[in-house]
Amino acid sequence: MAGRPTLRSGPLVPQLEELLTARIRDGEWTLGSRIPSEAELATELGVGRSSVREAVRLLARDGLLDVRHGVGTFVAQPPTSGAGLGKLLRRARLLEVYEVRRALEIEAARLAAERVRPEDLRRLREQLSTRHDSTTASTAVFVAADLDFHAAILEIAGNSILSALFDSIRPLLVDALAELVDHEPGRPDTSCAHDDLVRALEAGDAAAAVAATAANLDPTMSILRKGGNQ
C-alpha cells in the first residue's frame, strides 16, 4: 500500500473530500466500484470515522458516490471537468437557505423591537451568553445555541406564522450553519452583531434591530455569492 497521504493543518473534511474525489478522477476507484468502508478509510488516512463519513456524505450529495445502507458505498459518476463545481453548487443551496432566513429574521427583528417585554430581555441575554460561550464548543453545540437565540427573537416578535415558518426551515438552517462553520474558514465572526441586536431590542429601536440582523447575515451571504475563498 502507498504511504499515508499527508494532510495539511486546517479543516479536515474538505481535504478528505478532495482526496476521495481525486481517487475517482484518477481511476483508482472506477465507475460502479465499491469503495473501502468508513473504518478502512479512517485507518488508512489516520483520521476519525466521523470525518470520513462527512466527506462521503458531501460527495454523495453531489452525486459522485451512492451510499447503499447495509451494502456499501459505490462510485456513481466521475467528477465533472469543472473544478470545484460541487462546492459551488453547495454554496448556491446555502445561499437560498440564507435568503429565506434573512427574510424571516429581518421582519421578526422589527416586530420584536416593538413588542419585547422586560422578561423577554432577561431570557434573551441568557441565551446570548450561552451562544457566545459555545463558539469554542463543537459545531453541533454552537449551531443549536445560535439558532435557539434567533428562535427566541421569532417568539418575541409574537407572530405565530413567522415562528412556524422558522421552525419548518430550522433543519435546513442546522445543516447550512454547520456546513458554514465546518467548511468556510473565512466566515466572519458576527458576535458583535448579536450584541447589537439585543441592545436594539432593549432600546425598542426597530431600525437598529433590522440593521443588526442584516449585519449578522449579509457578510456570509456575500461570501456565498462570490464563491467563498476560492
Side-chain angles (χ1 to χ4, degrees), residues 80-136:
T80 177
S81 57
L85 180 59
K87 186 179 292 185
L88 292 175
L89 290 174
R90 285 200 302 279
R91 286 190 175 124
R93 289 192 289 267
L94 291 176
L95 178 58
E96 289 183 346
V97 172
Y98 259 65
E99 287 172 342
V100 173
R101 177 181 184 181
R102 188 183 192 281
L104 292 176
E105 293 195 20
I106 286 287
E107 181 61 15
R110 184 184 68 79
L111 292 173
E114 297 172 355
R115 300 172 178 177
V116 67
R117 302 167 301 177
E119 58 267 32
D120 296 326
L121 289 169
R122 286 193 294 270
R123 181 164 56 91
L124 197 60
R125 290 189 201 99
E126 292 175 357
Q127 289 180 302
L128 180 65
S129 178
T130 299
R131 188 259 178 205
H132 287 347
D133 289 344
S134 71
T135 55
T136 56

Side-chain angles (χ1 to χ4, degrees), residues 8-96:
R8 307 179 301 275
S9 60
L12 183 59
V13 172
Q15 296 183 63
L16 295 176
E17 187 182 2
E18 292 173 6
L19 190 153
L20 301 186
T21 299
R23 291 188 174 184
I24 300 172
R25 183 180 57 246
D26 297 343
E28 181 178 345
W29 295 340
T30 58
L31 184 64
S33 66
R34 179 177 176 178
I35 73 170
S37 68
E38 290 176 1
E40 291 169 331
L41 287 170
T43 299
E44 175 193 345
L45 301 173
V47 299
R49 289 183 61 175
S50 61
S51 296
V52 173
R53 184 178 305 114
E54 177 64 10
V56 168
R57 184 186 72 82
L58 293 173
L59 294 180
R61 189 171 66 179
D62 290 339
L64 272 67
L65 295 177
D66 178 18
V67 179
R68 305 174 193 172
H69 296 289
V71 179
T73 300
F74 298 81
V75 178
Q77 66 179 35
T80 177
S81 57
L85 180 59
K87 186 179 292 185
L88 292 175
L89 290 174
R90 285 200 302 279
R91 286 190 175 124
R93 289 192 289 267
L94 291 176
L95 178 58
E96 289 183 346

